[in-house]
Amino acid sequence: MKNYLDWRAYQDAGMGDPYADIPKNGGDFAKAVAACINSRQCETHGKQVMCPSFRVTNNPNFSTGGRVKLLKAALSCDSSELALLDPMLSEAMDLCVSCKGCKRECEANVDMALIKAEYKAQKVACDGLGFRDRLFAYAPHWLHNSQWIRHLIKYRNRYRFLRWISDCVFGIATSQLLPQPVRVPFSDDKSYNNELVSGKTNQNVVLFVDTFTRYFEPNIAYSAIAVLEAAGYRVHVAKPILETPDPSRPLCCGRTFLAQGLVELARNEVRRVLYSLNSYVDAGYTIIGLEASCIIGLRDDSRALGLGREIDKLSKNLVLFEEFLSKEITSKRFSLPLRSMKKTRSLVHGHCHQKAVGATKAVRRVLKHVPDHEFKMIDAGCCGMAGTFGLETEHAKVSSQMAEDGLIPALQNSHDATIICNGFSCRQQIKNLSSHRPCHLVEFLHDAIIT
């Protein structure tokens, strides 16, 4: 069996353990699957993220452990490639929203999100890629090359009969509004792209603007630049260097490709990032990102793309905006003139990948730095949007059920609150299912700056 991701980190997993029950096919991938110790922690309904599909269905096949059992059975067959297409396994993996809750909450840290990426790659190799999946996977290319897509989405959202057509043709749920690209995306203005300079590297930072911030919510990136500069940092904006393949196209983390099982295309995107950021990494600059799924993907999942030590070097310098500010606040290096927010009450919803790396603690520390500000963390699991999951016709209902599992009730009881939410897909879910218009943490800070 050919593996599409690099699973060598698991090469010693289960060695000498007679209870590991490692399947005979799949090599190190099988060992990653067999890391599960069957504690059934994933089949509980406590204050945790995992496993969103189990929490709303109570079907044990839709828990992390349930998926492991089905995967083990498939990888133990003589024809494992065909066994991976088993309908029961396909349904279980299809309802995995790649939240990474298991990576943090499971005792064995089973990374079902990465396991699903390998599974998708195996399935694409057997069945090919469907039209809708191809449409979503190539979103960074469509957004860069096709300005007309903005108008298409606008009219699709406006007219119900066009939504019905998109449901019939593409399998995009009629009930869901698609995020609409802005007319003018974020611009890599030359004034932001300063040459490498000597001096204190902690005063020089690089902002990595992800695809969805760039084309859908560029104000977030502009707010981040304003906040960082007001706090005394010199901001460089990451952009492709001339030696990078396809240098005219903005940098992208490759997550849309990885999520659809197109591993080689994801690998190419991460290579472009490495080519362009190596000089900053070598100079010791901190690289700051705004979107959790993007940055955690580069920092964590990209290690499985077989790109060597270069990706390890990048990972050490790559942080989320809230992680950077939290560290600077703790080190007493952060100074930002903020006004009193006594009249503002906020609710904070954490992206699943933020929770997976403990970054919601950083959000809490940053908000405590805002004078006279009352805020509360929403006790909820996954919002259910999970990238494109909630937009897909067959998943729209279960996606809404996930949102109703804590998030939407909290919003309904807080009509006057400001909703802070750093995940792009989370914000879209909240817009679709409530009257709130959530903002990113950096937008909230920008509004609080004393001018």
Side-chain angles (χ1 to χ4, degrees), residues 229-394:
E229 289 184 338
Y233 301 97
R234 188 178 186 188
V235 182
H236 308 247
V237 175
K239 61 184 292 187
I241 58 176
L242 292 177
E243 296 80 5
T244 304
D246 195 5
S248 66
R249 183 166 57 83
L251 297 175
C252 175
C253 69
R255 170 157 291 280
T256 60
F257 290 119
L258 188 64
Q260 302 300 340
L262 300 176
V263 174
E264 188 56 39
L265 291 175
R267 188 178 289 120
N268 290 340
E269 291 301 310
V270 177
R271 282 198 184 104
R272 295 178 72 242
V273 172
L274 290 174
Y275 288 148
S276 303
L277 298 185
N278 270 343
S279 57
Y280 291 115
V281 172
D282 290 340
Y285 286 19
T286 298
I287 299 159
I288 301 171
L290 301 164
E291 176 62 35
S293 61
C294 170
I295 296 305
I296 304 307
L298 280 173
R299 199 166 76 187
D300 188 356
D301 297 341
S302 292
R303 293 173 181 268
L305 294 175
L307 295 173
R309 289 186 297 176
E310 293 301 312
I311 195 66
D312 293 331
K313 288 169 57 180
L314 174 65
S315 297
K316 292 176 182 178
N317 288 53
L318 192 59
V319 296
L320 288 165
F321 178 83
E322 57 269 26
E323 291 175 323
F324 175 75
L325 291 197
S326 176
K327 183 178 179 181
E328 294 296 283
I329 289 170
T330 301
S331 301
K332 303 188 184 305
R333 290 194 295 261
F334 184 71
S335 177
L336 185 67
L338 296 173
R339 61 186 173 88
S340 171
M341 300 295 282
K342 190 173 183 179
K343 296 182 179 181
T344 302
R345 184 174 70 90
S346 299
L347 287 179
V348 184
H349 174 66
H351 187 285
C352 290
H353 293 184
Q354 276 183 304
K355 295 172 184 175
V357 297
T360 49
K361 293 180 181 178
V363 173
R364 187 182 290 111
R365 181 173 287 117
V366 173
L367 288 174
K368 285 182 177 179
H369 195 70
V370 178
D372 306 316
H373 178 229
E374 178 189 347
F375 69 93
K376 181 180 179 181
M377 310 298 288
I378 297 176
D379 179 18
C382 180
C383 76
M385 182 57 77
T388 63
F389 181 86
L391 302 176
E392 296 161 4
T393 299
E394 69 274 24

Side-chain angles (χ1 to χ4, degrees), residues 68-130:
V68 165
K69 290 177 183 177
L70 293 169
L71 282 164
K72 279 185 175 183
L75 293 172
S76 297
C77 291
D78 291 334
S79 181
S80 55
E81 290 87 348
L82 294 177
L84 287 172
L85 302 180
D86 174 74
M88 191 178 294
L89 173 60
S90 293
E91 181 186 25
M93 296 305 293
D94 184 54
L95 287 179
C96 170
V97 293
S98 299
C99 67
K100 285 190 176 288
C102 49
K103 183 71 183 293
R104 178 175 179 85
E105 296 167 351
C106 166
E107 297 99 318
N109 305 121
V110 174
D111 192 348
M112 189 54 64
L114 197 60
I115 289 170
K116 182 177 180 178
E118 177 71 49
Y119 170 81
K120 286 281 288 186
Q122 298 287 341
K123 193 169 183 180
V124 169
C126 291
D127 284 350
L129 192 67

